Amino acid sequence: MSSKEPRWTQTWLGGVRAAGVDLGYPGERLGLPQEGSGSVAGWGRRIGALVIDWMICTWVVVQLLLRMNPAESPWAPALVFAVQYLLLVGFMGQTFGHRLMGVRIAAMDGRDPRWLPVLVRTVLLSLAVPAVIWDRDHRGVHDRVSNTVVVRM
């Protein structure tokens, strides 16, 4: 084996990038810039936005405003999360967490997504599993089905 060839473990443990295949940057296939405004948002920003939104829904809305215990009513934070997500993304293209982390949801044409794709995206995001299955452009199943992408502002 020559030093230029990848080790056999790199081709299946590290994926095709470790084997020397260049897939480009996330968003390149979608015609998005590599850096700056309009580029695909990274995982840190997306997870940060999700954590912020979940804390707002659980602590502020469910516990303070509705005076419910999330441990006794575990459906309450999930329902509040889905409603706030649907309304905020539908009207503004982003939630409070997205705004604080500097990202927004965009349709593939760059504009804010329409209501039906936002509804579909919200339902799939609430199921959680579609959100953790993603492609090389950092788009989860919920993004692909609703034809959206999370981009930096």
Side-chain angles (χ1 to χ4, degrees), residues 3-133:
S3 63
K4 293 183 181 181
E5 292 180 25
R7 292 183 23 192
W8 67 274
T9 56
Q10 289 176 325
T11 58
W12 63 276
L13 284 177
V16 292
R17 288 189 197 274
V21 177
D22 181 23
L23 299 175
Y25 61 86
E28 184 174 15
R29 295 183 309 159
L30 306 174
L32 300 174
Q34 184 172 4
E35 296 290 327
S37 181
S39 64
V40 173
W43 295 114
R45 290 176 186 259
R46 294 179 74 159
I47 292 171
L50 179 66
V51 169
I52 291 168
D53 288 333
W54 190 257
M55 289 188 325
I56 289 171
C57 291
T58 303
W59 293 343
V60 176
V61 177
V62 174
Q63 288 182 334
L64 293 177
L65 296 177
L66 300 178
R67 302 264 188 234
M68 298 174 73
N69 183 356
E72 294 174 1
S73 304
W75 54 269
L79 181 63
V80 169
F81 178 83
V83 169
Q84 72 91 22
Y85 197 91
L86 178 65
L87 292 175
L88 292 177
V89 173
F91 281 116
M92 301 181 345
Q94 61 190 8
T95 64
F96 297 121
H98 290 144
R99 181 73 176 174
L100 291 172
M101 296 304 294
V103 298
R104 70 179 184 91
I105 308 297
M108 292 308 295
D109 61 4
R111 295 183 295 170
D112 287 338
R114 300 193 185 276
W115 278 96
L116 183 59
V118 170
L119 176 64
V120 170
R121 189 177 197 284
T122 302
V123 169
L124 291 174
L125 182 63
S126 297
L127 296 174
V129 173
V132 297
I133 302 170

